[in-house]
Amino acid sequence: MKKTKFQKPTGMHDIIFGDQKYFQSIISTVEGVSDYYGFSKIDTPILEDEDLFLKGVGEATDISEKEMYTLKTKGGDRLALRPEGTASVVRSYIESGMANRPQPVKLYYIGPFFRHERPQAGRYRQFYQFGLEVLGDSNPVIDAQIINIVYSILTDLKLKNISIEVNSIGDKECRNAYKKTLVKYLKSKSSLLCSDCKRRTKENPLRFFDCKDPKCQAVKAEAPKIIDNLCEDCHSHFKQTLEYLDGLELPYQINPCLVRGLDYYTKTVFEFFVTTKEGKSLALGGGGRYDYLVKLLGGKETPAVGAAFGIERIMQAMKDMNLIDGPKSKDKVFLAQIGILAKSKSLVLIESLRRAKIPVVESLGKDALKIQMTKASRIGSKFIIIIGHKEATENSAIIKNMETGRQETVALDKVVSKIKKG
Ligand code: HAM
């Protein structure tokens, strides 16, 4: 294809035409379900203080090390395009004094996020996420409820073959002790590790479990797992969460290697996958508990749990499964007109059709009836409304039923009721 003068930035994309149908149906489902469960919508700025993310997400994470879009303002502030939503929500929770409201505070968001990643299938530099966060409740029932709410969103969108992986990565106490055990093990296997994992051993050993390098897989399989090293509190929190998930009959499995790529998690972590038609596993979203983040970012100690999903990934899965019905072309009425007066009457009639929720297609800018009728037959509308010169002066319209071939002239103010009758 010939290069145009301007192109979209690498890794970014337009959401146009058919894709908007998927996009909008995801947004309205998220809004409907979140509202039902008592979540309020939160919109935060696209730009935040860079340190919010460095501190929140963790300095030794992929996001902080290489994926942030940062800029220096004319005033000298260092800002970052938000790579994720949780740190912003927590910043707002602290800054607007949400701790003084009845707890827990339940919030959801939908919007664009930015990560300077290597573009590949399902991985963009600007992508959309929706997320839900519950702040101010430590009960494991909330962990299970969040998992269930996002599962409901996916099943309301009619997605099938969803699987959920869960794990617990413990709290400060048990994780620090476990890290020492893990580092000792990794050091003993150092010669078998990839160069990234050698570095991770020093900087952020848990991240070793994210490594996809074939070299490290055998070491991973044999590695001591956090789930076998939980303290009593974390163990019982995890056990309770799983029991609630069992009660909900959700399709989950425990993955002892699941650690997630952000540093703020404690206890429960989870990820959702869907199997594509090529049989591949696509990560749709994930989340977990983050009981230390509010304090870390300057607030009071506040337990919290949440999840976020990639909207493009969900769109991809929906397309894969052919999931959008929308109004069928056949259900759309075609409105043809000839002449200035007929165009004027058509504008008014379209308003009545819209209010009656009858989808209509027209070619108001065209004059030739033949062109308009060709378009109507391409769409395959059951009804064609025609307002010619004569009908326009007589305040009437011809309604043609393309299935039976019958046509009749009716008063303009009776068109809607006539079409509704079918
Ligand atoms: P995350 O796993 O980094 O979690 O992102 C959640 C989802 O966003 C991913 O599973 C994926 O579907 C989508 N996503 C991430 N990066 C990209 C990308 N470059 N292109 C397309 N989609 C992408 C978080 O962001 C956490 N804030 C989730 C959370 C909320 N934890 C607690 N509360």
Side-chain angles (χ1 to χ4, degrees):
M1 216 162 42
K2 194 167 160 263
K3 261 200 164 183
T4 49
K5 186 168 178 187
F6 294 107
Q7 285 106 44
K8 50 193 177 303
T10 307
M12 304 199 179
H13 64 119
D14 300 316
I15 303 172
I16 45 181
F17 299 120
D19 281 357
Q20 276 293 345
K21 257 194 188 176
Y22 290 97
F23 192 69
Q24 294 305 331
S25 90
I26 296 168
I27 289 179
S28 61
T29 304
V30 170
E31 286 175 344
V33 174
S34 306
D35 187 53
Y36 180 83
Y37 282 101
F39 285 71
S40 309
K41 183 138 190 233
I42 176 167
D43 287 300
T44 60
I46 304 282
L47 286 163
E48 297 269 2
D49 188 329
E50 182 186 0
D51 281 345
L52 173 72
F53 300 117
L54 290 177
K55 228 177 158 168
V57 169
E59 308 240 3
T61 58
D62 283 351
I63 290 183
S64 295
E65 282 178 349
K66 49 186 189 213
E67 294 172 359
M68 272 220 278
Y69 281 89
T70 54
L71 59 98
K72 199 166 159 196
T73 66
K74 291 198 174 88
D77 297 329
R78 283 197 63 87
L79 302 181
L81 287 175
R82 58 186 190 181
E84 62 101 51
T86 311
S88 305
V89 167
V90 169
R91 194 260 315 129
S92 177
Y93 177 91
I94 300 166
E95 192 177 2
S96 36
M98 290 189 213
N100 300 324
R101 291 172 167 260
Q103 304 292 297
V105 174
K106 303 201 243 173
L107 301 166
Y108 80 98
Y109 49 89
I110 306 170
F113 293 85
F114 304 83
R115 293 184 194 178
H116 196 271
E117 301 202 64
R118 199 164 56 79
Q120 48 184 296
R123 206 169 276 286
Y124 300 98
R125 289 184 175 172
Q126 174 173 339
F127 57 97
Y128 284 77
Q129 271 191 353
F130 71 80
L132 294 102
E133 314 286 352
V134 179
L135 297 110
D137 202 319
S138 60
N139 198 303
V141 73
I142 309 294
D143 306 33
Q145 195 185 29
I146 278 282
I147 294 174
N148 185 47
I149 293 172
V150 289
Y151 183 73
S152 302
I153 291 174
L154 301 180
T155 49
D156 278 11
L157 288 166
K158 307 210 167 38
L159 284 176
K160 295 192 181 64
N161 305 326
I162 300 166
S163 57
I164 311 169
E165 294 189 357
V166 288
N167 193 20
S168 172
I169 57 166
D171 62 10
K172 265 184 200 150
E173 309 309 318
C174 51
R175 195 180 331 151
N176 281 342
Y178 163 75
K179 267 188 193 165
K180 283 185 191 138
T181 315
L182 179 64
V183 169
K184 204 167 147 202
Y185 168 78
L186 292 178
K187 279 186 176 159
S188 75
K189 304 283 175 189
S190 178
S191 59
L192 303 172
L193 296 177
C194 71
S195 55
D196 270 349
C197 284
K198 280 185 187 136
R199 187 175 51 86
R200 286 178 181 129
T201 306
K202 283 189 218 116
E203 291 171 7
N204 202 342
L206 274 188
R207 197 97 315 121
F208 154 75
F209 286 102
D210 282 337
C211 183
K212 303 276 182 294
D213 194 316
K215 229 177 140 182
C216 299
Q217 301 314 303
V219 186
K220 199 192 280 188
E222 297 292 312
K225 307 290 179 325
I226 176 93
I227 202 175
D228 303 317
N229 290 275
L230 296 176
C231 61
E232 214 180 302
D233 178 38
C234 290
H235 178 79
S236 91
H237 186 100
F238 192 47
K239 188 165 166 279
Q240 268 293 319
T241 305
L242 298 184
E243 280 169 13
Y244 290 126
L245 295 181
D246 287 334
L248 286 160
E249 297 183 11
L250 293 185
Y252 78 87
Q253 59 202 35
I254 298 170
N255 175 0
C257 292
L258 180 70
V259 290
R260 308 261 310 130
L262 306 118
D263 269 0
Y264 47 62
Y265 292 111
T266 44
K267 297 184 176 167
T268 317
V269 286
F270 54 86
E271 242 164 57
F272 277 65
F273 297 88
V274 74
T275 312
T276 63
K277 55 175 192 253
E278 294 88 33
K280 281 199 192 130
S281 184
L282 178 71
L284 297 180
R289 195 159 261 293
Y290 47 96
D291 290 347
Y292 304 132
L293 187 61
V294 180
K295 182 140 189 236
L296 181 75
L297 296 178
K300 283 193 302 197
E301 201 166 292
T302 310
V305 60
F309 279 68
I311 294 186
E312 285 83 354
R313 303 263 177 106
I314 297 178
M315 282 166 68
Q316 191 183 328
M318 289 174 77
K319 279 190 204 168
D320 224 46
M321 297 179 199
N322 269 328
L323 285 179
I324 287 278
D325 335 313
K328 295 188 183 58
S329 306
K330 203 167 144 304
D331 302 334
K332 291 184 184 161
V333 168
F334 192 87
L335 173 58
Q337 42 62 44
I338 310 157
I340 294 174
L341 187 60
K343 287 191 201 312
S344 170
K345 303 263 157 133
S346 296
L347 286 172
V348 178
L349 178 59
I350 292 169
E351 272 313 289
S352 309
L353 291 165
R354 185 183 64 77
R355 279 194 290 271
K357 299 196 168 30
I358 299 172
V360 63
V361 182
E362 38 70 18
S363 286
L364 284 179
K366 299 273 184 294
D367 287 315
L369 189 61
K370 202 169 158 212
I371 297 177
Q372 297 185 64
M373 295 307 270
T374 309
K375 183 167 176 187
S377 74
R378 207 173 53 231
I379 290 165
S381 302
K382 180 178 171 191
F383 290 109
I384 301 184
I385 305 168
I386 306 165
I387 309 179
H389 295 294
K390 181 168 173 282
E391 289 76 25
T393 35
E394 287 174 359
N395 255 330
S396 65
I398 298 167
I399 300 181
K400 197 166 174 177
N401 183 326
M402 300 305 284
E403 283 175 1
T404 60
R406 276 189 48 206
Q407 70 175 55
E408 59 181 318
T409 303
V410 297
L412 267 180
D413 60 1
K414 296 281 177 301
V415 170
V416 167
S417 58
K418 203 81 199 167
I419 302 255
K420 269 192 160 168
K421 269 192 210 143

